[in-house]
Amino acid sequence: METAGGGRWQARGMRLATWNVNSVKARLPRLLEWLDEAKPDIVCLQETKCAAEAFPVAEVGALGYAAAAHGDGRWNGVAILSRSGLDDVTLSFPGEPGFGELDGVGAARPEARAIGATCGGMRVWSLYAPNGRTIDSPHYAYKLDWFAALRDAIEAELTGPLVACGDYNVAPTDADVWDPALFVGATHVTPPERQALADLLALGLHDVVPTPMKGPHPFTYWDYRAGMFHQNKGMRIDLVYASTEVAERVRAAYVDREARKGKGPSDHAPIVVDLEA
């Protein structure tokens, strides 16, 4: 899908956002301020690093949001906030593989990387894909297995409007990293990872590419190392994949780069998508 135009807060209709907040507790004041300013109707959060029972339900509720969270309190963690209804909540997706810790029958327990809900008649998934670490790591094989299972789960749910958004930890093309030469031999850009994205799109999903607020590339992640953000040395690894019914409603989409600025930001910026109501 072509890059959707727009600018900060220009369009309206139904507003959807996705944001890897890199700890909802550490970022809570910034998150609440952003919610109050941007007023999205549906928000997908990743890397909340928060147990479900400790998620700040009351704080986001004061702004009018119902919340569903999936987390173990240490790493990972995903959530969906909605002012458009929050029904049929699903923690993890069917067939989701696990890694590390075993469950009661000796299988690896799925990590808190996926949560789905129906919001305003639209099926919404907030996803935090495994990092993969290095291509010779068991984490890389786990990442590919996770994507294969996700593809099957999404295919089963493509019976109506659907959006699957979050931190995919894969840059779809070389244009989605600031210097492709530096990523040769690294995860996030390997052919199998990119094929996993292509397999999702082959289901009929559309990549809603946001407009960048600076430079030619809609990067969504910049390392905390000094100067990376200000030099725009980033990556586009946060993605919004939408069914045709949703993609045809897109009025504007953009990276809210302003949210990456200031004191104590996440290393990711939100993607904001405005849909026709």
Side-chain angles (χ1 to χ4, degrees):
M1 180 175 178
E2 294 297 323
T3 300
R8 202 171 195 243
W9 319 148
Q10 288 180 0
R12 265 303 329 179
M14 174 180 280
R15 176 164 287 166
L16 167 75
T18 182
W19 192 4
N20 178 323
V21 291
N22 192 10
S23 175
V24 72
K25 291 184 178 179
R27 238 60 66 186
L28 185 58
R30 292 184 64 115
L31 173 62
L32 295 176
E33 180 181 11
W34 187 83
L35 290 172
D36 189 49
E37 184 179 74
K39 294 179 171 54
D41 299 289
I42 303 167
V43 186
C44 295
L45 300 177
Q46 302 86 41
E47 207 172 356
T48 57
K49 298 180 179 177
C50 177
E53 60 271 19
F55 191 84
V57 172
E59 289 87 339
V60 298
L63 294 175
Y65 292 96
H70 181 29
D72 62 14
R74 295 174 297 174
W75 311 104
N76 311 315
V78 285
I80 297 175
L81 313 181
S82 177
R83 301 193 299 189
S84 301
L86 191 66
D87 303 306
D88 304 320
V89 174
T90 303
L91 306 183
S92 302
F93 51 79
E96 182 175 352
F99 190 89
E101 185 179 353
L102 302 182
D103 62 17
V105 295
R109 191 185 307 276
E111 299 177 301
R113 294 188 175 276
I115 187 170
T118 301
C119 308
M122 179 170 63
R123 190 63 176 165
V124 178
W125 281 94
S126 178
L127 304 169
Y128 179 44
N131 179 281
R133 299 194 180 180
T134 61
I135 58 176
D136 59 352
S137 165
H139 291 267
Y140 179 72
Y142 161 53
K143 182 177 188 176
L144 297 180
D145 289 344
W146 188 91
F147 270 116
L150 174 66
R151 181 218 169 273
D152 292 342
I154 294 297
E155 182 179 31
E157 290 208 345
L158 274 175
T159 57
L162 180 145
V163 62
C165 51
D167 181 353
Y168 280 69
N169 268 317
V170 181
T173 71
D174 281 353
D176 296 310
V177 295
W178 66 275
D179 186 348
L182 295 179
F183 290 86
V184 173
T187 58
H188 293 58
V189 300
T190 64
E193 290 170 296
R194 288 177 170 171
Q195 184 59 50
L197 297 186
D199 290 343
L200 286 169
L201 296 178
L203 296 175
L205 297 177
H206 303 262
D207 184 2
V208 180
V209 182
T211 297
M213 294 290 100
K214 177 181 178 180
H217 304 292
F219 297 146
T220 61
Y221 164 82
W222 301 262
D223 193 279
Y224 281 128
R225 287 177 293 173
M228 296 293 281
F229 175 65
H230 298 292
Q231 296 175 66
N232 204 29
K233 294 180 177 180
M235 305 174 71
R236 183 172 80 97
I237 56 176
D238 303 271
L239 308 173
V240 176
Y241 279 7
S243 67
T244 298
E245 299 97 319
V246 177
E248 289 177 344
R249 293 170 55 198
V250 173
R251 296 173 58 189
Y254 53 94
V255 180
D256 185 11
R257 199 172 182 277
E258 293 298 311
R260 177 60 174 80
K261 298 179 179 179
K263 182 179 179 181
S266 170
D267 45 2
H268 295 248
I271 298 174
V272 178
V273 180
D274 286 332
L275 307 173
E276 292 181 357

